[in-house]
Amino acid sequence: MTKKTSPHLRPETLLVRGGLSRTGFHETSEALFLNSGYVYDTAAEAEASFDGTLERYVYSRFRNPTLSVFEERLAALEGAPVGKAVASGMAAVTSALLSLVRAGDRVVVGRELFGSCTWVACDLLPRYGVEVAVVAADDLAGWEAALSRPTRAVFFETPSNPTLRLVDLQAVADLAHAAGAVVIVDNAVASPIVQQPLAHGADVVIHSATKWIDGQGRCLGGAILCSEAFNEEYLGPFLRHTGPCLSPFNAWVFLKGLETLGLRLARHASTAQRLAELAEAHPATAAVHYPGLASHPQHALAQKQMTSGGGLLALNLAGGKEAAYRFLNALRVVDISNNLGDAKSLACHPWTTTHQRLTVEEKETQGITEGLLRLSVGLEDPEDLAEDLTRALDAAAS
Ligand SMILES: *Cc1c(COP(=O)(O)O)cnc(C)c1O
């Protein structure tokens, strides 16, 4: 493998060239290493590979050359010393938390979490003797109160899915560090282009690569970006021995996804901004949640910690569930789907799908109403999407 040492490069260049490592065949595109094992020229070389005197690939559960390129590229983008790729976003969340905490620890989490993240934090961790406190994303006084006691880890997502509430990254990181906590941020909704939590005080960043990084709805995957110390002490041994490793094929697909991430996110976000403004002006909506709108209660914070509003928005229809169903059934371009971060625009009704299992009270405190729709804005012609949205909003109002 040959590698050029790079000068300081900007994000759009890192997306194409970060971590690039070529074999003796001098291929242009990144090579795909679909192998689980490796061979040794001599018995002594095998021994040296296992006692650590020789640094090389020994087994793809530990490391694989295609994964290494993906990990280095994403780490460079997020400004992290180490990147570790895993099989899904949930494998990333679970590994980061379980590798760090132990019985008797206290963890503080954001209330607005992806459903499976709530399960890991609030159902799984307590089984192992971990105390978990929950704070509303945008309640800074609540974070301050919760972090007035020694805490092992803080975990939250910003912006939150589906209501796009923000956590003040720097303010909560400062409080968390004073409480002795490691700050773990789920950056899947924003993407590494829209937000870089490490630059705002976070210690560990989580991605579901399934979303914007793949960007075309093909592969599941995830990643954890962290310091050398976090990897050596906690994450590395956990991943090596429990084995939530990513397929090299998926890593190769994500590498191709990263190459166009900047271009795609610019388009996702500019179209989302336009659709959010269109929806806000339509009589069928009671509220539109999008960090790029001046009406967003945390718009100033969004401008501080995000480079754009991103590709996800939510509409609260005045007519409740019936209006939401008329909206979804009137769409001719946008698909009804619970996924997000795809080239295809996707819409879903969280009350009856992704968040169906929450109690009515839990839904209401998170701002998930019967009239709420989540829209993941795709790469279609913005004009066609604007027409489709208007058609659906007119149907909702009828
Ligand atoms: C999708 C998602 C996850 C889980 O990722 P998978 O790749 O589906 O396991 C975690 N957090 C957020 C915010 C997500 O959107």
Side-chain angles (χ1 to χ4, degrees):
M1 303 281 285
T2 57
K3 207 163 184 168
K4 285 191 208 167
T5 49
S6 13
H8 174 75
L9 298 171
R10 293 164 185 82
E12 296 271 350
T13 309
L14 290 174
L15 285 169
V16 179
R17 294 186 172 273
L20 190 59
S21 182
R22 293 193 165 112
T23 75
F25 292 115
H26 311 291
E27 64 283 351
T28 311
S29 174
E30 296 74 5
L32 170 50
F33 288 87
L34 269 181
N35 60 304
S36 48
Y38 302 81
V39 299
Y40 310 90
D41 285 337
T42 62
E45 192 186 335
E47 181 181 0
S49 307
F50 276 80
D51 71 17
T53 49
L54 182 65
E55 166 59 48
R56 50 159 287 166
Y57 293 96
V58 296
Y59 191 48
S60 287
R61 169 149 51 78
F62 310 160
R63 276 185 338 128
N64 169 284
T66 306
L67 262 73
S68 298
V69 181
F70 172 58
E71 291 169 338
E72 277 187 46
R73 188 168 295 180
L74 198 54
L77 204 60
E78 288 278 8
V82 176
K84 299 300 269 182
V86 289
S88 68
M90 285 321 304
V93 169
T94 308
S95 302
L97 284 170
L98 281 188
S99 67
L100 175 65
V101 300
R102 57 205 62 207
D105 279 348
R106 180 166 187 274
V107 172
V108 179
V109 301
R111 183 182 62 194
E112 290 81 359
L113 287 182
F114 184 74
S116 295
C117 295
T118 301
W119 186 85
V120 168
C122 299
D123 288 75
L124 188 64
L125 291 186
R127 288 185 204 174
Y128 298 99
V130 176
E131 179 194 335
V132 180
V134 180
V135 179
D138 51 5
D139 177 12
L140 202 51
W143 285 105
E144 198 170 347
L147 292 168
S148 60
R149 289 167 51 199
T151 300
R152 183 71 161 175
V154 167
F155 173 65
F156 58 82
E157 67 182 57
T158 180
S160 68
N161 165 30
T163 46
L164 287 308
R165 291 176 181 174
L166 309 188
V167 176
D168 187 328
L169 282 163
Q170 190 67 61
V172 172
D174 289 346
L175 291 167
H177 291 150
V182 175
V183 180
I184 305 170
V185 178
D186 183 340
N187 201 23
V189 167
S191 88
I193 287 293
V194 170
Q195 180 173 270
Q196 296 172 344
L198 299 182
H200 299 276
D203 302 300
V204 178
V205 170
I206 300 291
H207 275 291
S208 165
T210 318
K211 312 293 170 54
W212 305 108
I213 291 174
D214 177 304
Q216 295 168 61
R218 298 163 293 190
C219 292
L220 278 151
I224 304 137
L225 298 312
C226 62
S227 65
E228 298 275 3
F230 185 84
N231 184 51
E232 270 162 37
E233 200 167 338
Y234 305 110
L235 185 65
F238 184 92
L239 295 179
R240 186 183 176 102
H241 301 299
T242 64
C245 41
L246 180 67
S247 153
F249 178 80
N250 289 12
W252 181 82
V253 172
F254 295 146
L255 275 168
K256 299 288 106 187
L258 283 176
E259 288 183 349
T260 59
L261 185 68
L263 285 171
R264 287 187 288 109
L265 249 301
R267 175 66 169 267
H268 287 298
S270 70
T271 308
Q273 179 79 34
R274 176 169 168 197
L275 297 183
E277 286 166 10
L278 187 160
E280 197 169 39
H282 196 284
T285 56
V288 176
H289 308 291
Y290 184 65
L293 284 179
S295 61
H296 190 287
Q298 297 166 292
H299 183 57
L301 178 62
Q303 287 181 311
K304 191 173 127 200
Q305 64 189 31
M306 299 169 71
T307 59
S308 74
L312 205 65
L313 64 102
L315 323 171
N316 194 7
L317 296 181
K321 180 178 167 183
E322 282 177 16
Y325 274 36
R326 282 199 300 278
F327 176 101
L328 289 174
N329 294 334
L331 293 167
R332 293 288 170 270
V333 178
V334 179
D335 290 305
I336 302 171
S337 171
N338 51 289
N339 202 6
L340 68 91
D342 200 291
K344 295 179 174 59
S345 292
L346 307 172
C348 80
H349 184 236
W351 184 281
T352 51
T353 59
T354 52
H355 292 70
Q356 196 193 100
R357 276 190 232 133
L358 297 188
T359 65
V360 170
E361 198 199 335
E362 284 167 339
K363 286 178 196 160
E364 277 166 2
T365 53
Q366 293 193 27
I368 298 162
T369 60
E370 291 196 66
L372 190 82
L373 291 160
R374 186 189 74 191
L375 194 58
S376 172
V377 177
L379 299 176
E380 302 91 340
D381 190 309
E383 213 52 49
D384 287 328
L385 293 176
E387 285 173 18
D388 208 32
L389 183 62
T390 304
R391 176 172 27 244
L393 287 168
D394 288 347
S398 66

